[in-house]
Amino acid sequence: MKNTFGNSLQITLFGESHGPYIGAVLDGLAPGLTVDENYIRELLARRRPAGVISTSRVEPDEFQIVSGYFNGKTTGSPLTILIPNVAKRSSDYEKAERIARPGHADYTASVKYHGFEDFRGGGHFSGRITAALVAAGAVVLPALKKKGIEISCEIKSVAGVKGSWEEMEDVIKAAAAEGNSVGGVLEAEIKGVPAGVGEPWFDSVESILAHAMYSIPAVKGVQFGIGFEGTTLKGSEYNDSLRNKDGKIVTTTNNNGGINGGITNGMPIVFSLAIKPTPSVYVKQESIDLKSGENRELQIEGRHDPAIIHRARVVVEAMSAIVMYDLLASRFGTDYFYED
Ligand SMILES: Cc1cc2nc3c(=O)[nH]c(=O)nc-3n(C[C@H](O)[C@H](O)[C@H](O)COP(=O)(O)O)c2cc1C
């Protein structure tokens, strides 16, 4: 029963989709970091649903920082962010039968938590919890920016369609009109990380980033650099040549995605993520009743995203920020980020 991740900086996520609050605790932050509440609001707004390509459950995300924060700065003690859930509609989940949504965590959660889980709206497994992750990322992102680190995440394709955002958005709209859902590919880039960060084996930068990314609901694939595509190349084509450019060691290509031997090489860290189609679709599906164990047909109600990909972008950026803060603090010490 573990909901905490990280070494020098640890994040704990708590809350359920239809509970009073969701939130995050960040433990291990340097003291004196400036917390920009408007920036937290800005990032939360990027995750918030908008229009027919998202769920109609729109939460205002009026967060509160209730510990580890004093006079606009971090204190160095655990920082707790609370975000109330106000746009709940739990009646969608109050039924005599409880039919598991295929592809969601309803069945696996009921096995692990013996039916005691708050299943409403996906409970602790809901994409809603990623709001807390985004708020936590927004606490550390300004500190990374001060160190020259820039994090971004772009949509590369939706349901196999590569093109302008309008073209990809049309694919989501078409799926939504059918009561169905689509997935896609995201590509993230972390620029400005110095060479020499990470560990050779179990705590390689790939391992830690992949661990973190697979924690994001609906992420079903992670690849670094050119990933699987690289398997078709010869070594001489794949290798990133090292050059000295005006006293800085760089590589001419970045097929390895900025990591060699688990350690950053100073080039941008690049990775792609497979985001699956949203499991809750309005198309009839076959499943089981979790109470009786009997086979049933499922017709989903409730409010759901026809695609997760556009909302997951900022979640990936926030998760990347938390990981990079942790890796840098592990490498250079907590005071690396200290501001007096
Ligand atoms: C931002 C975000 C929003 C999501 N919205 C929904 C949703 O509306 N309906 C749904 O069934 N799943 C949604 N999900 C995905 C589920 O939470 C996820 O598929 C489920 O917990 C099972 O985990 P897994 O897909 O990683 O195996 C969302 C995920 C994210 C990151």
Side-chain angles (χ1 to χ4, degrees):
M1 310 290 178
K2 189 171 169 245
N3 296 278
T4 299
F5 175 71
N7 292 304
S8 285
L9 175 68
Q10 295 200 321
I11 177 165
T12 302
L13 288 177
F14 62 87
E16 286 84 21
S17 184
H18 289 211
Y21 293 93
I22 58 165
V25 180
L26 283 169
D27 193 10
L29 286 172
L33 299 183
T34 308
V35 178
D36 183 345
E37 294 199 24
N38 280 330
Y39 183 61
I40 300 176
R41 276 183 207 105
E42 218 176 277
L43 250 59
L44 285 169
R46 282 183 56 206
R47 201 204 70 95
R48 196 162 298 131
V52 293
I53 61 164
S54 304
T55 173
S56 58
R57 175 180 176 183
V58 182
E59 286 280 358
D61 293 334
E62 277 160 9
F63 66 90
Q64 264 181 288
I65 304 178
V66 298
S67 71
Y69 181 50
F70 184 53
N71 291 334
K73 305 267 185 188
T74 58
T75 61
S77 64
L79 182 142
T80 306
I81 306 166
L82 280 180
I83 312 179
N85 290 321
V86 295
K88 296 173 276 189
R89 209 171 68 193
S90 302
S91 56
D92 292 336
Y93 298 88
E94 284 156 7
K95 301 269 153 63
E97 287 189 320
R98 193 149 89 72
I99 305 176
R101 288 169 298 168
H104 213 294
D106 299 345
Y107 168 64
T108 52
S110 78
V111 175
K112 182 170 168 71
Y113 297 100
H114 306 294
F116 287 99
E117 70 282 1
D118 176 353
F119 54 83
R120 298 166 303 167
H124 189 52
F125 297 83
S126 172
R128 170 80 190 127
I129 314 302
T130 61
L133 200 50
V134 168
V139 169
V140 298
L141 265 161
L144 291 166
K145 275 192 191 145
K146 281 195 181 144
K147 294 286 177 192
I149 294 164
E150 294 286 340
I151 299 175
S152 59
C153 180
E154 303 299 333
I155 300 173
K156 294 309 262 189
S157 63
V158 171
V161 173
K162 294 178 187 165
S164 65
W165 167 238
E166 287 69 30
E167 285 165 317
M168 295 192 281
E169 196 184 21
D170 282 345
V171 175
I172 305 176
K173 284 181 183 162
E178 291 169 9
N180 220 326
S181 67
V182 283
V185 177
L186 290 175
E187 187 178 271
E189 188 175 47
I190 309 174
K191 287 200 254 186
V193 179
V197 176
E199 301 296 335
W201 290 91
F202 307 112
D203 285 346
S204 70
V205 174
E206 287 127 318
S207 317
I208 303 227
L209 270 172
H211 184 160
M213 294 304 146
Y214 279 120
S215 312
I216 301 172
V219 170
K220 288 294 174 185
V222 180
Q223 67 170 20
F224 289 87
I226 58 168
F228 285 86
E229 199 190 313
T231 59
T232 61
L233 301 182
K234 301 261 165 57
S236 57
E237 297 165 323
Y238 186 97
N239 289 343
D240 301 313
S241 301
L242 286 153
R243 307 302 309 159
N244 183 328
K245 197 177 163 203
D246 306 323
K248 188 180 184 307
I249 306 301
V250 295
T251 62
T252 49
T253 50
N254 193 17
N255 296 335
N256 289 273
I259 306 162
N260 291 117
I263 296 166
T264 55
N265 65 12
M267 294 300 288
I269 298 171
V270 179
F271 54 96
S272 315
L273 303 145
I275 308 291
K276 77 180 192 181
T278 316
S280 302
V281 290
Y282 301 103
V283 177
K284 267 206 181 110
Q285 297 174 86
E286 291 186 331
S287 187
I288 53 142
D289 172 21
L290 291 171
K291 292 182 182 168
S292 65
E294 286 170 12
N295 290 329
R296 289 282 182 273
E297 266 208 337
L298 171 65
Q299 177 63 63
I300 286 183
E301 291 168 21
R303 299 165 292 174
H304 297 284
D305 290 303
I308 293 162
I309 189 148
H310 53 296
R311 302 188 61 205
R313 274 178 68 190
V314 67
V315 180
V316 169
E317 290 172 9
M319 190 81 244
S320 302
I322 292 160
V323 169
M324 290 330 295
Y325 187 106
D326 183 25
L327 287 172
L328 288 160
S330 299
R331 175 75 172 90
F332 300 114
T334 304
D335 275 358
Y336 180 69
F337 290 106
Y338 167 68
E339 294 168 26
D340 60 9

